[in-house]
């Protein structure tokens, strides 16, 4: 991956080739977004805009043929890159990503309303089997409300996935930038990521209360979970670094996340919320005797 980053930064033609070429290929929009983020983070808007414009051409072509994800993720990741470049704050990036996820949800609801509605109808048919006896005990109005929430939640899940891809594309671009110009910088940034209590509990409140404020706001639940899950991953990485654990354990975490998503993902969300109050990494550092002088003096 470092070799690809070096190729992108070798010159304007090389950057255009990767950014535009990846945008033109099916399911490679994340690479285009990551490459564009790298160029923007390193060179700034004025130098990057001429390169990114070439990626917009195939992205607009995909949109014309009914595939908006390429353009959405590309513009979303670049927008987050601007926030990171100006603020150097991953916390701010994650919070802006919530607004980005909501925007994705609105676009998906407009472009894919019919397919999402059809999927929601099929999922509603499976509810009696999935929920078992619990579904039969619900009142008619509760069943109707539950059925009406399926489409917004499904839209939110898809939007949250695109939101996550946008953030991960930016992270890849930032990792490339650090690998080329500041080795180890991205790792330090990511491991230090911790959401303040007000933001963490605000996201939790939006997740829990959103469906009660309106059916369409049910999409807030998956969208608001993304920053918390990423903060949970940052916590695990930070504790692994402080504990001197081998990379094998982190690989095991990601494999478990893929295999047991329903269990590990909520656990990461809970860890991020608890860490916003307890600060596990700070406690461990103080316990190990790391003070303001980093052990010196």
């Amino acid at each position: 991956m470092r070799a690809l980053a070096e190729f992108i930064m070798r010159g304007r033609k090389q950057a255009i080739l990767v950014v535009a070429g990846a945008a033109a290929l099916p399911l490679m929009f994340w690479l285009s977004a990551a490459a564009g983020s790298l160029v923007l983070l390193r060179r700034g808007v004025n130098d990057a805009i001429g390169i990114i414009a070439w990626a917009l051409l195939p992205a607009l072509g995909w949109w014309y043929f009914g595939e908006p994800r390429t353009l959405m993720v590309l513009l979303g990741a670049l927008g987050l890159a601007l926030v990171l470049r100006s603020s150097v704050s991953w916390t701010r990036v994650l919070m802006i990503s919530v607004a980005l996820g909501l925007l994705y949800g609105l676009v998906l609801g407009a472009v894919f309303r019919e397919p999402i509605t059809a999927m929601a109808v099929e999922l509603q048919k499976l509810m009696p089997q999935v929920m078992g006896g619990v579904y039969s005990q619900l009142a008619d109005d509760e069943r109707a409300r539950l059925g009406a929430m399926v489409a917004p939640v499904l839209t939110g899940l898809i939007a949250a996935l695109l939101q996550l891809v946008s953030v991960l594309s930016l992270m890849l671009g930032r990792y490339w930038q650090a690998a080329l110009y500041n080795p180890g910088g991205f790792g330090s940034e990511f491991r230090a990521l911790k959401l303040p209590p007000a933001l963490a509990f605000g996201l939790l409140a939006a997740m829990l209360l959103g469906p009660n404020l309106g059916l369409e706001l049910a999409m807030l639940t998956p969208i608001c979970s993304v920053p918390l899950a990423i903060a949970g991953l940052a916590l695990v990485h930070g504790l692994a670094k402080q504990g001197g654990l081998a990379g094998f354990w982190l690989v095991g975490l990601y494999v478990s996340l893929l295999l047991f998503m329903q269990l590990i993902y909520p656990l990461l969300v809970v860890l991020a919320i608890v860490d916003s109050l307890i600060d596990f990494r700070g406690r461990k550092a103080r316990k190990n005797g790391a003070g303001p002088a980093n052990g010196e003096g």
Side-chain angles (χ1 to χ4, degrees):
M1 297 297 281
R2 179 188 172 92
L4 179 58
E6 291 176 344
F7 178 80
I8 294 170
M9 299 306 296
R10 191 174 299 167
R12 180 182 176 86
K13 293 181 179 179
Q14 290 84 347
I16 291 175
L17 178 63
V18 175
V19 174
L25 295 174
L27 301 179
M28 295 299 289
F29 51 84
W30 58 271
L31 181 59
S32 175
S37 297
L38 169 62
V39 174
L40 193 152
L41 287 171
R42 180 61 182 177
R43 297 182 178 176
V45 177
N46 293 334
D47 290 340
I49 193 168
I51 296 171
I52 295 169
W54 287 95
L56 294 178
L57 296 177
L60 290 170
W62 281 113
W63 183 288
Y64 178 79
F65 288 106
E67 174 52 87
R69 291 178 299 178
T70 301
L71 184 62
M72 291 166 64
V73 171
L74 177 62
L75 294 179
L78 293 174
L80 295 178
L82 284 174
V83 175
L84 181 61
R85 193 172 194 271
S86 62
S87 67
V88 197
S89 170
W90 280 104
T91 299
R92 183 168 298 180
V93 168
L94 292 181
M95 298 313 297
I96 295 297
S97 78
V98 174
L100 183 64
L102 287 173
L103 179 60
Y104 285 165
L106 294 175
V107 174
L108 291 169
V111 177
F112 292 124
R113 181 176 298 276
E114 292 184 3
I116 291 175
T117 301
M119 292 176 62
V121 171
E122 295 300 320
L123 289 174
Q124 290 178 40
K125 295 178 181 179
L126 295 174
M127 279 186 178
Q129 303 176 18
V130 174
M131 299 180 66
V134 176
Y135 187 81
S136 61
Q137 296 176 6
L138 296 176
D140 291 340
D141 58 336
E142 293 176 330
R143 293 182 187 179
R145 178 177 173 79
L146 184 61
M149 286 177 56
V150 174
V153 170
L154 187 58
T155 302
L157 285 171
I158 301 173
L161 179 59
L162 294 178
Q163 172 192 0
L164 180 60
V165 172
S166 300
V167 175
L168 292 179
S169 297
L170 172 60
M171 286 185 170
L172 179 56
R174 186 66 160 181
Y175 168 76
W176 281 341
Q177 182 189 24
L180 294 178
Y181 308 107
N182 182 28
F186 172 73
S188 300
E189 282 183 358
F190 184 63
R191 289 190 295 269
L193 172 60
K194 184 176 79 72
L195 296 180
L199 294 181
F201 281 90
L203 291 171
L204 178 62
M207 291 172 60
L208 298 177
L209 300 179
N212 296 320
L213 298 177
L215 292 178
E216 293 300 325
L217 292 179
M219 70 171 64
L220 280 172
T221 300
I223 290 172
C224 290
S225 72
V226 172
L228 292 169
I230 293 176
L233 284 175
L235 168 63
V236 175
H237 275 262
L239 292 176
K241 179 69 174 180
Q242 289 181 339
L245 298 180
F248 166 80
W249 295 102
L250 293 176
V251 173
L253 168 66
Y254 285 102
V255 172
S256 300
L257 183 59
L258 291 175
L259 297 178
F260 308 104
M261 177 74 73
Q262 303 92 328
L263 176 64
I264 304 299
Y265 189 90
L267 179 60
L268 291 173
V269 171
V270 172
L271 284 175
I273 295 171
V274 176
D275 181 57
S276 69
L277 293 174
I278 297 179
D279 189 11
F280 292 109
R281 285 157 291 187
R283 285 174 175 265
K284 188 173 180 62
R286 290 190 293 270
K287 183 177 179 180
N288 292 337
N294 296 320
E296 298 178 5

